Amino acid sequence: MLKFTEEHEWLKIEDGVATVGITTYAVDQLGDLVFVELPEVGATFSKNGNAATVESVKAASDVYCPLDGEITEVNPAIVADPSLVNSDPQGAGWFFKLKLANAADADGLLDEAAYKELTA
């Protein structure tokens, strides 16, 4: 199940854990990424908390935590090679995994059709 935020994060939710990254639309707006900073495993965030930072040749931008939860895993591959986010933003370019405090909160996020409408 894919969900999206208005801040251009995507979530793939399985068994109460969300894999989180930024959308293809966000990557297109940012341009080529040159730096990614990820949160620490074990860190807890509230919805819309600043969880990660990306820098591109155009600008720096925050990546927000889409829901309340705890970071259970991060993707070190995108720190070593930020271009992975550009080449596969909704696959190998994921940012972190978030154990959701309340999985039902995901129902309030956008589905794919609503997100496409937002970015059209």
Side-chain angles (χ1 to χ4, degrees):
M1 169 175 73
L2 277 182
K3 292 288 194 171
F4 299 86
T5 70
E6 292 182 5
E7 290 78 28
H8 311 292
E9 289 91 20
W10 60 266
L11 298 83
K12 181 179 182 185
I13 302 169
E14 297 174 286
D15 299 324
V17 176
T19 301
V20 180
I22 61 174
T23 64
T24 302
Y25 177 85
V27 168
D28 290 345
Q29 297 302 304
L30 287 167
D32 291 336
L33 295 186
V34 295
F35 176 78
V36 175
E37 181 178 73
L38 296 174
E40 296 288 326
V41 171
T44 57
F45 290 94
S46 298
K47 181 177 180 179
N48 296 326
N50 180 2
T53 303
V54 294
E55 290 181 18
S56 71
V57 293
K58 293 182 184 178
S61 185
D62 293 327
V63 177
Y64 299 102
C65 195
L67 295 169
D68 296 349
E70 179 183 344
I71 304 297
T72 60
E73 189 178 341
V74 295
N75 185 358
I78 64 170
V79 174
D81 183 6
S83 70
L84 275 176
V85 179
N86 292 98
S87 61
D88 193 8
Q90 290 178 223
W94 62 276
F95 278 60
F96 54 85
K97 294 190 180 188
L98 182 72
K99 183 177 181 186
L100 301 175
N102 184 358
D105 290 345
D107 295 341
L109 299 175
L110 302 172
D111 62 18
E112 199 158 357
Y115 184 73
K116 283 184 176 176
E117 190 174 299
L118 175 75
T119 58

